[in-house]
Amino acid sequence: MIELAQALSTDPVLLENGPAIENAGMAALAVGLAAFGAGYAERGIGAAAVGAIAEDRGMLGPGIVLTVLPETLVIFAIVVIFLV
Amino acid sequence: MRDLELGRTFQQTNGSSNLEYVNARVRARRAALFDDDDYRKMIRMGIGEIARFMEETEYQREMNALGARYDGVDLIEYALNQNLAKHFHDLLTWADGMLYEQIAAYLRKFDAWNAKTAIRGIYSGADAEEIEDDFISAGEFDEAFLASLSTADSVEAAVELLEGTIFGEVLEPALVEYQETDVLVPIENAIDRAFYEHLMDGLRGSETTQAQQLYAEFLEAEIDFRNARNALRVAFSGADIDHSEFFIEGGVLFDRADIQSLLTEPGALADHIAESRYGERLADALVAVREAESLIAFERALEAAILEYSDRLANVNPLAVTSVLAYILAKEREVENIRAIARGREVGLSEQEIEEELVII
């Protein structure tokens, strides 16, 4: 146990004083979270859109447009990549 | 789980409620119902024209399927019933989870209808086929169970079949009363009461999200309006009836103790409704009941009011079961309106008289 603690305390990665995740990593995480949010939003809209299309084929166009609207979230998040 | 013995077709579903999907479909169908222009057109038609008009609309499939067996008003009526059953069955095939349970609990309304139809039919000596024609298979009872209900050879046998359904418990004392008096009223009341008192089954646990509250509010409104209607019927008939026999628990407008005292005069009852949370919505109807003392006008106003009220509840939260229930009410109303027009035409009522029978919002 003590040996393990000693080994950890001398681990070069942990001793380094920098952040755990670098800027690029953080930006990737941000895009990932944004995509997650967009996916969750699309779940509900997609279900409703399929319901509407089932009743009326004419809703196919509006249905697709509304379903992918939350995708704009991810596009904004991609901007972050160019900022780092 | 399928329980053949009780004739149940309602199954347990897994997963969470798919409110988005069901709401989108239901709202599309709600929007496709007949509007007042259609009704106005139909009022001026003869029976044949109404049938032809229906063939060009939503009811096409049912009209064609039943066209060979029936004609005239009967054809219209059976097509309406079959279409109603189809749509409500669709609701159940779409819904999952909690939503399914709530819709299913509400659709037991048709079990109550079917149970009453069977018992009335048996009592009046109708044959099994006639009874079966009048079933609306939108509820929990499946075809086989309904068939066995219609072929029961006595009221007692039918009640025995209903044992084990939600109606079983309340039917036992009612059957004793029926055997003593030979009138069906206690049995019919028991069935209605069992349905309304089981409505709240869908409200499981202590979850109090907004959607849950709306659902509860909808059911309370339905029970209140039913109580108000029953109370007014008794009040208008002037009969000396113990109202607690008809009273349905679960509403917020009346309680068992005060309803009897309110019944002594319609005015007091109208005041009581005016002070409740429905007062504003029912203002016009209450004026009608105070002035004209016409029960029919009040009942129509009451039905229009609950339709409007349910539409409002459906729009408060776009993702709640209330929009489905509002659609069920609206669809039932459409079927009743068309039936009223067809029946009115058949017996030769004037356009004015038929229009008074319709509930259009």
Side-chain angles (χ1 to χ4, degrees), chain B residues 54-338:
Chain B
M54 282 171 66
E55 264 171 49
E56 284 160 19
T57 60
E58 172 56 41
Y59 298 93
Q60 185 188 21
R61 186 180 301 178
E62 287 78 16
M63 293 298 277
N64 288 339
L66 295 168
R69 278 178 65 197
Y70 308 101
D71 61 353
V73 186
D74 284 343
L75 171 62
I76 293 174
E77 190 147 317
Y78 292 128
L80 288 172
N81 283 350
Q82 213 169 80
N83 185 271
L84 188 81
K86 182 187 87 182
H87 279 287
F88 293 168
H89 185 74
D90 282 351
L91 293 179
L92 291 175
T93 49
W94 302 333
D96 270 330
M98 183 80 153
L99 179 63
Y100 178 94
E101 280 168 39
Q102 290 173 338
I103 298 174
Y106 193 73
L107 288 180
R108 287 212 188 105
K109 179 191 268 195
F110 294 99
D111 289 339
W113 162 275
N114 289 337
K116 280 191 287 185
T117 303
I119 289 174
R120 278 181 198 159
I122 295 162
Y123 182 75
S124 66
D127 63 45
E129 202 178 321
E130 279 172 336
I131 297 174
E132 229 166 305
D133 280 345
D134 285 332
F135 283 148
I136 302 176
S137 54
E140 192 175 16
F141 298 163
D142 61 18
E143 298 282 324
F145 185 73
L146 286 176
S148 63
L149 255 188
S150 64
T151 48
D153 43 11
S154 67
V155 173
E156 283 83 357
V159 169
E160 202 171 303
L161 276 171
L162 289 168
E163 224 169 81
T165 67
I166 58 164
F167 307 110
E169 207 175 304
V170 290
L171 275 176
E172 240 170 85
L175 184 65
V176 177
E177 209 175 318
Y178 159 76
Q179 283 162 336
E180 281 164 10
T181 56
D182 199 39
V183 283
L184 284 181
V185 178
I187 291 188
E188 291 182 4
N189 284 339
I191 290 175
D192 278 338
R193 267 218 312 274
F195 162 68
Y196 281 108
E197 282 161 18
H198 275 85
L199 263 184
M200 299 291 183
D201 282 358
L203 286 174
R204 182 213 287 153
S206 54
E207 288 171 82
T208 45
T209 60
Q210 195 206 12
Q212 294 281 313
Q213 280 166 9
L214 284 174
Y215 181 57
E217 203 177 324
F218 184 96
L219 300 183
E220 280 162 10
E222 170 124 17
I223 292 174
D224 282 338
F225 280 61
R226 180 68 41 152
N227 273 331
R229 208 185 69 183
N230 288 347
L232 274 162
R233 280 188 184 167
V234 174
F236 268 98
S237 71
D240 187 22
I241 303 173
D242 179 16
H243 184 77
S244 56
E245 213 176 291
F246 298 90
F247 186 73
I248 302 159
E249 301 275 358
V252 291
L253 190 54
F254 305 108
D255 58 50
R256 200 179 277 278
D258 69 12
I259 198 154
Q260 195 67 35
S261 62
L262 286 171
L263 275 183
T264 45
E265 50 162 339
L269 192 67
D271 288 339
H272 184 73
I273 299 173
E275 284 160 20
S276 71
R277 65 182 181 193
Y278 313 111
E280 220 174 287
R281 255 157 253 283
L282 282 174
D284 295 342
L286 289 171
V287 171
V289 78
R290 283 208 186 90
E291 279 174 3
E293 300 205 333
S294 141
L295 184 57
I296 294 177
F298 185 80
E299 282 192 16
R300 297 290 168 266
L302 209 57
E303 277 162 33
I306 191 163
L307 271 183
E308 270 173 49
Y309 193 66
S310 71
D311 273 346
R312 193 189 70 85
L313 287 180
N315 289 331
V316 173
N317 182 345
L319 292 181
V321 65
T322 42
S323 58
V324 182
L325 302 188
Y327 165 72
I328 295 178
L329 277 187
K331 178 75 190 172
E332 275 186 282
R333 185 33 59 190
E334 176 183 279
V335 164
E336 267 161 55
N337 278 345
I338 298 173

Side-chain angles (χ1 to χ4, degrees), chain A residues 43-45 47-52 54-55, chain B residues 16-18 20-21 24-26 28-29 94:
Chain A
R43 164 199 166 272
I45 303 171
V50 171
E55 289 298 319
Chain B
S16 53
S17 309
N18 49 351
E20 296 91 351
Y21 177 73
R25 296 203 75 161
V26 159
R29 294 207 174 174
W94 302 333

